[in-house]
Amino acid sequence: SQQGEEDPQALSIQEGENATMNCSYKTSINNLQWYRQNSGRGLVHLILIRSNEREKHSGRLRVTLDTSKKSSSLLITASRAADTASYFCATDADNAGNMLTFGGGTRLMVKP
Amino acid sequence: DGGITQSPKYLFRKEGQNVTLSCEQNLNHDAMYWYRQDPGQGLRLIYYSQIVNDFQKGDIAEGYSVSREKKESFPLTVTSAQKNPTAFYLCASSIRLSRYSDTQYFGPGTRLTVL
């Protein structure tokens, strides 16, 4: 079974709006990562947040982590058409070393 | 130009054939991974390798085999024992395999279709 589950599965917004994606997981983790995938391409790493961090920023991206609720959110501010992609969270369970478990992804469409 | 490459981009297989997918990296990473992605789904781990001449099964290793004879290369063979091989295959690498996860760097993927 997947460790991380994204919500919503699909999201459609207008350019300039903010996009929020959520990830829930089941067991204790060391790190949580977010990746982006353009259609038919490989994944690109966006941001890594450690279990002792609560919030992290990178450009227009803001990631939060709530270990008590076993959840994370990815916020993309002032979205652009080029942000259209699938976004995946990946977790490393505390007893699984470096192995990442990926969620099913959120498919984001940003309309110009 | 550093990175991770996969070839071919598209691959067609007939029933009963073995096919090998190539993955090469020049990032000097110790750890390499193979994932399978089905349409609209996340990634599932097939095999991973921490070091040359060592590899371990992931969650869905049945019907697949790998080798790690060189640090730069981690080819995946999809055997005839894999009953439903049509999927998108992604190779990745990371600096090391340690207790805590590192960023993984992904290749562009190979789309395998069974005819």
Side-chain angles (χ1 to χ4, degrees):
Chain A
S1 63
Q2 291 177 335
Q3 162 77 320
E5 294 292 341
E6 285 90 342
D7 170 57
Q9 290 187 336
L11 180 60
S12 181
I13 60 174
Q14 293 295 134
E15 208 165 25
E17 294 180 341
N18 294 344
T20 300
M21 289 158 268
N22 303 296
C23 170
S24 59
Y25 57 91
K26 297 174 183 172
T27 62
S28 297
I29 61 170
N30 298 309
N31 302 319
L32 184 144
Q33 302 185 38
W34 283 92
Y35 287 81
R36 165 195 168 124
Q37 183 182 34
N38 285 53
S39 181
R41 309 289 289 273
L43 275 69
V44 175
H45 180 260
L46 295 176
I47 201 161
L48 181 153
I49 187 165
R50 304 196 184 281
S51 59
N52 61 355
E53 297 176 312
R54 292 296 166 258
E55 189 170 311
K56 209 161 182 181
H57 296 255
S58 177
R60 293 185 295 113
L61 305 181
R62 173 181 169 245
V63 168
T64 62
L65 178 64
D66 187 334
T67 53
S68 67
K69 295 181 179 178
K70 291 187 170 60
S71 68
S72 174
S73 67
L74 170 66
L75 168 67
I76 303 174
T77 60
S79 63
R80 305 166 182 167
D83 294 329
T84 294
S86 291
Y87 293 82
F88 295 90
C89 70
T91 54
D92 58 349
D94 198 17
N95 62 353
N98 196 22
M99 293 302 100
L100 290 180
T101 302
F102 287 82
T106 293
R107 283 163 289 287
L108 173 66
M109 175 174 287
V110 181
K111 300 175 186 174
Chain B
D1 207 15
I4 181 165
T5 59
Q6 292 184 242
S7 62
K9 187 172 182 179
Y10 300 97
L11 186 57
F12 298 91
R13 192 193 95 168
K14 293 182 180 178
E15 294 277 355
Q17 275 186 337
N18 292 355
V19 290
T20 297
L21 284 59
S22 169
C23 177
E24 304 277 333
Q25 54 98 359
N26 61 4
L27 300 168
N28 200 31
H29 287 173
D30 286 327
M32 297 186 75
Y33 314 82
W34 274 105
Y35 294 93
R36 170 182 172 137
Q37 185 178 32
D38 291 286
Q41 304 294 315
L43 279 63
R44 292 184 290 168
L45 183 65
I46 305 172
Y47 268 98
Y48 64 97
S49 169
Q50 304 180 56
I51 198 167
V52 174
N53 293 323
D54 178 74
F55 47 84
Q56 306 294 330
K57 292 182 180 179
D59 299 323
I60 56 166
E62 186 175 351
Y64 300 98
S65 66
V66 293
S67 62
R68 187 88 186 274
E69 296 176 2
K70 298 186 298 182
K71 187 175 185 177
E72 306 79 27
S73 178
F74 191 40
L76 173 74
T77 297
V78 184
T79 75
S80 57
Q82 171 48 241
K83 298 305 179 190
N84 185 22
T86 294
F88 190 50
Y89 290 88
L90 287 159
C91 180
S93 68
S94 64
I95 292 175
R96 73 189 74 79
L97 196 69
S98 62
R99 182 164 182 265
Y100 303 108
S101 61
D102 286 320
T103 297
Q104 292 190 11
Y105 296 82
F106 284 81
T110 292
R111 188 166 300 281
L112 173 63
T113 303
V114 173
L115 301 174

